[in-house]
């Protein structure tokens, strides 16, 4: 069965068509600048050259129409008709406390996603538009929602509550939710497989280090803590997001520069992280390795913050068996991995194998056989995880 995986942003739509039985990618692509001048679709059928087309898309419904047209094109497509698409898996950013696993989309599920809009004002409306666009164009095709927050719903209250008046949790559900759950779920399961150990008998720390970055602690098969909070702004230093900071900084900047909360939130989300630390050099980790003082400063701070979370989670789980690196930086950035492991993890008995650590983008153990704690690099595959969860719900 072919599963169409859809990931809708406010002005973009990423998609993959995956054969769920063989777990192979049939095609993937991206619609960009939806609702803006100059929109285009990039379509990459597996094993063939990618096709980029200018395509006016006023909204996500038109974008989905282009996706279907690309998939079914008689010359360059990969399926004959819509009938060959068995189900659609939608990546949904925020499921609040309502969803601890993937679910078939019903009117009630859509309402629950709508109820979480205040928690993810940029993402959930786009996700809903994507669902409704697919429902309109593919009536009768089962749809599944896979939530970024679901994996973290097993956290205990002491991990998810903020130390603010409890009524804010009761009234507005202000708490830590965590994101990148599909990735943490996929990578932690894969780590157990690679180690030939039962999933529910391991203490694992997963470092998802990409443009957005988060760490999670997975103990005995359950997520017990994660670094992102009510929103994806908390925790690690990211490409452009600050991660943790003293909340009083917001008031300080507001007073000094006469800025509104909205303006400061834009600074913290879009102008901070390694971009801010490197004085505007770049949010892309590759550009930071140019030998400059600014780049080095950002990289050192990023490595330290990540190491602090690893230390905190090792303490929280009273030990750690395996630490996993994943996502763009975790899979590819050799020096960041080396700094974290060499400078900060010796006390956990980590012994890095420099030869193995030189590898990029592949599943590999980067510690020596006598290393007390193992370090694995595991490329994440959120789309495959979404396709698997979708298939599991619709195959009967
Ligand atoms: P997201 O999905 O959150 O946008 P990614 O997981 O794709 O982000 O990660 C993007 C980051 O990964 C960029 O900062 C980029 O520099 C880094 N990255 C990707 N490929 C490489 C590579 N080959 N070497 C070093 N860094 C890389």
């Amino acid at each position: 069965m072919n599963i169409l995986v859809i990931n809708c942003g406010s002005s973009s739509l990423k998609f993959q068509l995956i054969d769920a039985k063989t777990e192979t990618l049939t095609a993937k692509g991206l619609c960009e600048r939806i609702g803006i001048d100059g929109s285009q679709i990039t379509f990459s059928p597996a094993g063939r050259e990618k096709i980029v087309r200018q395509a006016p898309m006023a909204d996500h419904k038109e974008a989905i129409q282009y996706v279907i047209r690309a998939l079914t094109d008689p010359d360059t497509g990969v399926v004959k008709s819509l009938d060959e698409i068995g189900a659609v898996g939608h990546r949904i950013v925020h499921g609040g406390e309502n969803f601890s696993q993937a679910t078939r989309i019903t009117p009630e599920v859509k309402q629950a996603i709508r109820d979480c809009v205040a928690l993810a004002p940029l993402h959930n409306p786009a996700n809903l538009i994507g669902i409704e666009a697919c429902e309109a164009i593919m009536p009768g095709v089962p749809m599944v929602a896979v939530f970024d927050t679901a994996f973290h719903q097993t956290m205990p209250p002491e991990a998810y509550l903020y130390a603010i008046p409890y009524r804010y949790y009761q009234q507005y559900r202000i708490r830590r939710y965590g994101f990148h759950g599909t990735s943490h779920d996929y990578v932690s399961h894969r780590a157990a497989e690679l180690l030939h150990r039962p999933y529910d008998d391991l203490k694992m720390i997963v470092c998802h280090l990409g443009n957005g970055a988060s760490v999670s602690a997975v103990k005995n098969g359950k997520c017990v803590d994660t670094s992102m909070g009510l929103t994806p702004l908390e925790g690690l230093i990211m490409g452009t997001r600050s991660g943790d900071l003293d909340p009083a900084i917001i008031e300080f900047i507001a007073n000094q520069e006469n800025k509104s909360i909205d303006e400061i939130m834009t600074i913290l989300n879009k102008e901070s992280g390694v971009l801010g630390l490197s004085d505007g050099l770049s949010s892309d980790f590759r550009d930071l390795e140019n030998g400059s003082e600014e780049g080095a400063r950002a990289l050192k701070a990023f490595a330290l913050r990540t190491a602090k979370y690893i230390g905190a989670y090792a303490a929280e789980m009273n030990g750690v068996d395996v630490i996993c690196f994943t996502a763009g930086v975790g899979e590819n950035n050799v020096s960041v991995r080396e700094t974290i492991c060499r400078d900060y993890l010796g006390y956990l008995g980590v012994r890095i194998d420099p030869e193995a650590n030189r590898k990029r983008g592949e599943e590999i153990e980067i510690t020596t056989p006598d290393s007390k704690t193992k370090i694995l690099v595991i490329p994440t595959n959120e789309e495959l995880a979404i396709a698997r969860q979708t298939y599991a719900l619709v195959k009967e």
Side-chain angles (χ1 to χ4, degrees), residues 19-156:
D19 181 334
K21 279 222 175 93
T22 57
E23 299 202 333
T24 49
L25 178 71
T26 310
K28 66 176 179 177
L30 166 69
C31 301
E32 290 170 282
R33 301 180 62 86
I34 300 169
I36 312 172
D37 279 351
S39 38
Q40 64 172 32
I41 177 167
T42 307
F43 180 63
S44 310
R48 283 187 270 155
E49 229 163 87
K50 74 172 175 198
I51 303 158
V52 184
R53 281 217 182 103
Q54 300 304 311
M57 300 169 202
D59 54 30
H60 286 74
K61 196 167 159 191
E62 289 185 13
I64 301 271
Q65 273 162 340
Y66 275 106
V67 171
I68 301 296
R69 235 173 276 161
L71 290 169
T72 55
D73 186 283
D75 299 323
T76 52
V78 290
V79 290
K80 285 201 195 72
S81 75
L82 264 182
D83 300 343
E84 290 180 45
I85 299 174
V88 183
H90 293 267
R91 177 202 177 198
I92 309 295
V93 166
H94 220 306
E97 291 184 320
N98 301 316
F99 300 102
S100 55
Q101 52 203 4
T103 182
R104 279 285 280 265
I105 295 174
T106 62
E108 293 73 33
V109 168
K110 282 199 286 182
Q111 187 54 44
I113 296 170
R114 212 165 284 125
D115 291 342
C116 292
V117 162
L119 296 170
L122 294 180
H123 292 99
N124 273 30
N127 298 158
L128 275 165
I129 290 169
I131 292 173
E132 288 181 342
C134 287
E135 284 175 340
I137 293 165
M138 293 180 256
V141 177
M143 309 268 160
V144 169
V146 181
F147 299 91
D148 259 27
T149 46
F151 180 67
H152 306 298
Q153 276 296 304
T154 48
M155 286 188 288

Side-chain angles (χ1 to χ4, degrees), residues 1-3 17-26 384 388 391:
M1 181 192 288
N2 283 311
I3 309 277
L17 191 68
I18 294 174
D19 181 334
K21 279 222 175 93
T22 57
E23 299 202 333
T24 49
L25 178 71
T26 310
L384 176 59
R388 273 184 191 160
Y391 185 55

Side-chain angles (χ1 to χ4, degrees), residues 210-212 283-286 327-329 332 360:
N211 216 350
S283 64
D284 190 304
F285 282 68
R286 282 167 287 204
V329 177
N332 296 295
R360 293 168 191 267

Side-chain angles (χ1 to χ4, degrees), residues 249-259 264:
I249 292 171
I250 296 171
E251 183 198 29
F252 191 90
I253 297 178
N255 290 339
Q256 293 294 319
E257 300 200 343
N258 198 21
K259 285 195 170 13
I264 297 174

Side-chain angles (χ1 to χ4, degrees), residues 209 285 289 299 302-303 329 333-341:
L209 312 179
F285 282 68
E289 296 187 298
L299 288 166
F302 176 83
V329 177
N333 196 306
V334 171
S335 61
V336 162
R337 290 195 306 242
E338 189 180 301
T339 307
I340 294 171
C341 295

